[in-house]
């Protein structure tokens, strides 16, 4: 398993790499694990796009760890923003980007969005994690380039006002629950 160090691997009873991760593929491996070992097992997810699948597996096999309802809020940026806002945390307002019906007037659409956000803005997929297919748009050429390179017809996108500020990021872990 190339992405894991020998030291890290030594903490696990077994590691099962997959070519494609699905409920069925994982269930096939999990069903072969001894019941006693299974009761003391955890599913570790290192890919943001697989969080919900791993939560469903934990639920199916009564394993400790986050369950689907705990990840539902993170499935779309709209859900996350609503949850944070309802919790009293200030979030940037967003605008749904319609890249299909406006493709013929992309420059005018950019001007409209630029005005909505009072200047430069960020465009990103509604679903998905990290900064994949995300761009800071300062001018029409930025939007045009993003549209040519990153826009996918079957994806939904949002725009948000660009906030120029320091970013703080905290990686963390949980031990014993």
């Amino acid at each position: 398993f190339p992405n894991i160090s020998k030291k890290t691997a030594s903490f696990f009873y077994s590691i099962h790499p997959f070519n494609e991760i699905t409920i069925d593929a994982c269930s096939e491996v999990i069903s072969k694990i001894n019941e006693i070992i299974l009761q003391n097992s955890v599913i570790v997810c290192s890919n943001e796009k697989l969080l919900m699948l791993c939560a469903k597996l934990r639920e199916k096999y009564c394993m400790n760890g986050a369950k689907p309802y705990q990840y539902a809020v993170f499935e779309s940026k709209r859900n996350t923003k609503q949850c944070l806002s309802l919790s009293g945390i200030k979030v940037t307002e967003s605008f749904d980007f319609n890249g299909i019906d406006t493709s013929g007037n992309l420059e005018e659409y950019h001007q409209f969005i630029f005005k909505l956000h009072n200047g430069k803005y960020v465009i990103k997929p509604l679903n998905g994690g990290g900064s994949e297919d995300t761009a800071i748009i300062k001018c029409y050429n930025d939007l045009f380039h993003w549209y040519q390179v990153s826009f996918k017809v079957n994806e939904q996108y949002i725009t948000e006002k660009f906030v120029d500020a320091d970013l703080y990021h905290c990686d963390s872990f949980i031990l014993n629950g």
Side-chain angles (χ1 to χ4, degrees):
F1 199 50
N3 297 331
I4 192 166
S5 71
K6 288 182 180 184
K7 183 177 180 179
T8 301
S10 71
F11 292 106
F12 297 95
Y13 176 78
S14 63
I15 298 172
H16 304 275
F18 293 90
N19 290 329
E20 181 182 11
I21 299 178
T22 64
I23 292 277
D24 290 340
C26 293
S27 293
E28 186 178 325
V29 170
I30 292 171
S31 68
K32 295 176 184 174
I33 297 174
N34 179 306
E35 187 65 34
I36 295 168
I37 295 171
L38 185 59
Q39 290 173 355
N40 295 304
S41 294
V42 295
I43 294 176
V44 177
C45 183
S46 61
N47 182 326
E48 195 170 342
K49 292 181 179 183
L50 299 174
L51 288 173
M52 184 60 80
L53 182 131
C54 291
K56 288 176 181 178
L57 286 166
R58 285 186 208 103
E59 185 173 65
K60 180 176 180 175
Y61 292 99
C62 301
M63 298 172 83
N64 289 328
K67 301 297 187 263
Y69 78 90
Q70 293 170 298
Y71 286 126
V73 72
F74 300 110
E75 283 195 305
S76 88
K77 289 172 182 69
R78 190 179 297 123
N79 288 355
T80 304
K81 285 173 164 286
Q82 288 172 347
C83 182
L84 291 171
S85 182
L86 289 170
S87 299
I89 298 170
K90 187 176 178 180
V91 296
T92 57
E93 292 181 8
S94 60
F95 175 75
D96 287 359
F97 178 83
N98 180 338
I100 297 170
D101 298 326
T102 60
S103 62
N105 298 312
L106 199 57
E107 188 166 6
E108 289 176 35
Y109 194 42
H110 159 71
Q111 291 168 359
F112 171 74
I113 297 169
F114 196 83
K115 193 172 185 178
L116 266 181
H117 291 303
N118 254 346
K120 64 183 170 179
Y121 57 95
V122 177
I123 190 164
K124 54 183 149 181
L126 180 62
N127 302 310
S131 60
E132 188 175 337
D133 296 329
T134 298
I136 298 170
I137 309 298
K138 296 175 255 171
C139 63
Y140 169 69
N141 287 337
D142 293 339
L143 180 62
F144 182 77
H145 175 75
W146 171 85
Y147 193 87
Q148 296 295 315
V149 173
S150 299
F151 179 75
K152 296 175 185 77
V153 174
N154 59 340
E155 291 274 346
Q156 293 179 301
Y157 297 89
I158 59 170
T159 65
E160 301 172 333
K161 178 180 180 64
F162 178 80
V163 177
D164 192 11
D166 292 331
L167 173 67
Y168 296 92
H169 188 277
C170 179
D171 287 323
S172 59
F173 66 93
I174 299 170
L175 182 62
N176 295 329

